[in-house]
Amino acid sequence: MAVNFNMGFAISLIFVVVVAGVSVVTAESPKEVIVKTVKGQKVCDQGWECKGLSKYCCNDTISDFFQTYQFEDLFAKRNTPVAHAVGFWDYKSFITAAALFQPLGFGTTGGKSMQMKEVAAFLGHVGAKTSCGYGVATGGPLAWGLCYNKEMSPSQDYCDDFYKYDYPCAPGAQYYGRGAIPIYWNYNYGAVGEGLKEDLLNHPEYIEQNATLAFQAAMWRWMTPVKKGQPSAHDAFVGNWKPTKNDTLAKRVPDLEPL
């Protein structure tokens, strides 16, 4: 099976030229870019948005090409009266969440074109997973992304006792779908919580209470393989994953074309 990525959202993104240097501050870009060479490799720090001397921080950051008005245009229906998470999702939460992963390559891998495509693909998944639009909805179904932040009528508590030793269900906790790319089941809340250093196993409700954390959970899943031996969505998308012979024979190959 091919690894597909939903690119259904059309996003108009702006190319921004960033001048390289040891410390660069311009009127157009007030960020200070710190550049160093560590073990022969160029690494950079761009402050709060891409911090920690990473090779990825030498590229444009997400806010250079994806800004508030574009987020508002993309998810224009999210705060309409019929939406179910009015006032929850916003650009600040998205860009704050992304700051945790940009030093790791999220939206900062490759050239500008690849960076923009990855952000578009990620938001395409987010929009599709949280849309309350239908085929006849104004603007089409993809215009209604981020309508939800949780499953509205869960049919169960999603507690799997098979994982009771690694991820035991907390008394009274319900592990129904929550987030920008919804999390289900106790073992997934446990794994994501470990990755983000948040106690989501005992407090899964944190995801529906904090938009930044909800975006971080989705980004963590995007950057992290689901199973050993599988690529993360990020690695498959940016070309870090090279299929083995067995992958190719099983028709597991990257497919970055729109669905």
Side-chain angles (χ1 to χ4, degrees):
M1 178 179 294
V3 180
N4 287 302
F5 295 91
N6 189 333
M7 295 282 284
F9 278 11
I11 303 178
S12 296
L13 300 175
I14 300 174
F15 286 101
V16 177
V17 177
V18 175
V19 181
V22 174
S23 180
V24 178
V25 181
T26 69
E28 294 78 14
S29 178
K31 294 188 296 184
E32 182 177 4
V33 183
I34 298 173
V35 181
K36 292 186 178 181
T37 300
V38 177
K39 296 181 179 180
Q41 183 178 54
K42 177 183 174 183
V43 293
C44 303
D45 185 311
Q46 293 200 44
W48 69 270
E49 193 181 358
C50 202
K51 190 172 184 63
L53 290 176
S54 162
K55 66 179 182 179
Y56 300 109
C57 296
C58 295
N59 297 327
D60 283 353
T61 56
I62 293 175
S63 67
D64 287 323
F65 56 79
F66 184 66
Q67 300 172 4
T68 305
Y69 78 92
Q70 292 161 311
F71 182 92
E72 294 296 329
D73 288 345
L74 184 61
F75 299 112
K77 306 292 188 181
R78 75 187 191 283
N79 290 326
T80 57
V82 298
H84 301 281
V86 174
F88 185 76
W89 304 104
D90 61 12
Y91 175 82
K92 182 179 179 181
S93 297
F94 169 75
I95 205 67
T96 302
L100 184 63
F101 295 96
Q102 291 190 70
L104 304 178
F106 175 70
T108 50
T109 298
K112 297 186 183 87
S113 178
M114 175 58 73
Q115 291 176 249
M116 292 190 290
K117 286 178 180 178
E118 182 180 13
V119 172
F122 172 80
L123 292 176
H125 279 277
V126 166
K129 293 293 186 181
T130 60
S131 175
C132 61
Y134 303 95
V136 296
T138 303
L142 294 180
W144 294 78
L146 295 182
C147 174
Y148 295 100
N149 66 351
K150 63 181 179 180
E151 185 179 3
M152 298 305 296
S153 300
S155 59
Q156 56 180 304
D157 59 11
Y158 297 97
C159 174
D160 188 341
D161 278 340
F162 181 81
Y163 296 89
K164 62 184 177 181
Y165 297 111
D166 293 324
Y167 300 116
C169 299
Q174 292 187 322
Y175 301 98
Y176 54 79
R178 299 178 177 90
I181 297 178
I183 310 169
Y184 293 85
W185 298 102
N186 51 307
Y187 50 88
N188 286 321
Y189 276 92
V192 175
E194 288 174 352
L196 297 177
K197 296 181 173 56
E198 295 282 349
D199 188 9
L200 298 182
L201 187 61
N202 288 304
H203 297 283
E205 71 277 5
Y206 286 173
I207 295 292
E208 64 184 87
Q209 296 171 351
N210 185 318
T212 298
L213 183 60
F215 273 127
Q216 285 177 337
M219 292 171 190
W220 183 86
R221 175 50 65 206
W222 181 265
M223 299 291 291
T224 306
V226 175
K227 296 179 181 179
K228 185 178 180 180
Q230 290 184 352
S232 66
H234 166 78
D235 282 337
F237 193 88
V238 303
N240 290 342
W241 174 55
K242 304 301 180 185
T244 64
K245 182 178 180 180
N246 287 339
D247 287 325
T248 302
L249 290 173
K251 297 183 179 180
R252 292 188 294 264
V253 296
D255 181 1
L256 308 185
E257 295 300 316
L259 295 178

